[in-house]
Amino acid sequence: MLKGINPLLNADVLQALRAMGHGDDLIIADTNFPSDSVARQTALGRLLRIDASAAEVVKAVLSLYPLDTFVDDAAARMEIVGKPDEIPSVQKEVQKEIDAAEGKSWPMLPVERYAFYERAKQAYCVIQTGERRFYGCFAFRKGVIPPDAE
């Protein structure tokens, strides 16, 4: 355990978050997502795990991880097949965590299921959560941390 770091963030996850650069994608996926096979195609090449709900994992990650302010799709969610405008409770919970971390409303953009799989394969890494509800899959593009004021 370390001061100021959410205890859900294990050493492997912390190393990956630290290694990522501006514009790299992070996938946070539910238990039904093909996380292992997709993770093998990512830059990291292996699956990371945090066994907690999607909202808890997003809260922990966003406590350290800056979202990209230069793009519209820095926060994205997998659409429900056949119901692209419906937002299930798991996504509403994650939206609250994004807004809290950013201190403002930061709506997630919907991504069609198969387009989400393709985005995930191009990501830096995948964190599989213990989330059992459907459509608990999210993509976050890493931003930058500005230098200290001079």
Side-chain angles (χ1 to χ4, degrees):
M1 299 266 302
L2 298 169
K3 288 182 178 181
I5 296 178
N6 188 306
L8 289 178
L9 299 173
N10 60 59
D12 289 337
V13 170
L14 287 170
Q15 186 280 325
L17 295 177
R18 175 69 172 94
M20 293 175 71
H22 180 220
D24 283 337
D25 263 347
L26 165 68
I27 302 300
I28 297 179
D30 63 31
T31 58
N32 290 296
F33 189 76
S35 295
D36 187 62
S37 61
V38 170
R40 290 173 194 238
Q41 299 174 63
T42 65
L44 186 63
R46 64 185 173 84
L47 180 62
L48 302 171
R49 287 199 58 89
I50 300 177
D51 291 317
S53 73
E56 290 173 310
V57 173
V58 168
K59 179 178 182 176
V61 167
L62 293 184
S63 72
L64 302 175
Y65 185 91
L67 291 178
D68 193 340
T69 58
F70 294 104
V71 296
D72 294 333
D73 64 346
R77 62 179 178 82
M78 182 188 288
E79 285 181 355
I80 295 177
V81 174
K83 300 177 184 177
D85 296 325
E86 185 175 324
I87 301 175
S89 61
V90 64
Q91 293 182 0
K92 290 177 183 174
E93 291 169 16
V94 166
Q95 184 65 65
K96 286 180 185 176
E97 296 301 339
I98 295 166
D99 294 348
E102 294 302 315
K104 63 180 181 179
S105 176
W106 191 305
M108 286 184 283
L109 291 183
V111 178
E112 185 274 331
R113 179 180 169 209
Y114 291 107
F116 188 94
Y117 290 162
E118 291 307 311
R119 180 172 174 173
K121 291 173 188 175
Q122 302 301 314
Y124 184 85
C125 63
V126 175
I127 299 173
Q128 185 174 39
T129 69
E131 183 61 66
R132 294 184 56 203
R133 292 174 290 177
F134 298 145
Y135 297 98
C137 299
F138 308 91
F140 298 102
R141 187 151 299 137
K142 189 173 185 184
V144 297
I145 298 173
D148 294 333
E150 295 180 19

